[in-house]
Amino acid sequence: MDTLYSAEALATGDGRNGHVATPDGRLDMGLAIPKEMGGSGDGANPEQLFAAGYSACFHSALQSAAREAKVKITGSSVGARVNIGPLDNGGFGLSVALEVVIPEVPHDEAQALADRAHQICPYSNATRGNIEVTVSVVED
């Protein structure tokens, strides 16, 4: 793979109760374990950051798929829900649910665009075969 861009971040402190920042300062925030996992919930968490990145990347891939198909997807959006839970081996695992909204495009056509986006999105390609990812087209 020829690298087009590299992103960097540094996590410090106490892991999920620490701090994360990028060298350029565009991302600089405290982290906290979610209340649901026994923490304070007073900061962002890795699952939120993953959901934000995946939804933005997938939306870009969706727009690319729409351009390929010559379909206008004005007002479209992608929501990502990242779930974390225990695995049988004692570790933890993730799953992702992506919800795609494409107003004024018939459901079957919107699903075809979402399926195509799932093939070209870098996050989808990175997670494929590693974690469960569902892609659903939902009404606005």
Side-chain angles (χ1 to χ4, degrees):
M1 176 182 89
D2 290 332
T3 300
L4 298 175
Y5 169 76
S6 294
E8 296 179 35
L10 178 65
T12 57
D14 190 18
R16 287 179 165 272
N17 280 322
H19 192 89
V20 66
T22 56
D24 62 11
R26 291 191 176 147
L27 180 69
D28 189 343
M29 64 178 58
L31 300 174
I33 296 172
K35 288 181 181 181
E36 296 85 351
M37 293 175 65
S40 70
D42 291 337
N45 62 66
E47 291 72 35
Q48 290 172 321
L49 298 173
F50 188 58
Y54 203 159
S55 64
C57 189
F58 196 91
H59 197 210
S60 183
L62 183 68
Q63 292 168 341
S64 178
R67 280 191 302 276
E68 282 178 2
K70 296 183 171 83
V71 175
K72 291 188 185 270
I73 59 169
T74 305
S76 63
S77 63
V78 175
R81 183 176 54 254
V82 174
N83 306 297
I84 185 170
L87 296 173
D88 292 338
N89 68 4
F92 288 85
L94 300 173
S95 66
V96 177
L98 298 170
E99 291 189 349
V100 177
V101 175
I102 308 175
E104 301 179 21
V105 172
H107 186 273
D108 289 348
E109 188 175 355
Q111 188 65 56
L113 291 172
D115 292 343
R116 175 65 182 137
H118 194 39
Q119 294 304 308
I120 59 179
C121 174
Y123 277 66
S124 292
N125 288 328
T127 59
R128 187 170 290 110
N130 297 310
I131 66 172
E132 179 185 350
V133 176
T134 59
V135 180
S136 304
V137 172
V138 297
E139 299 299 317
D140 186 20

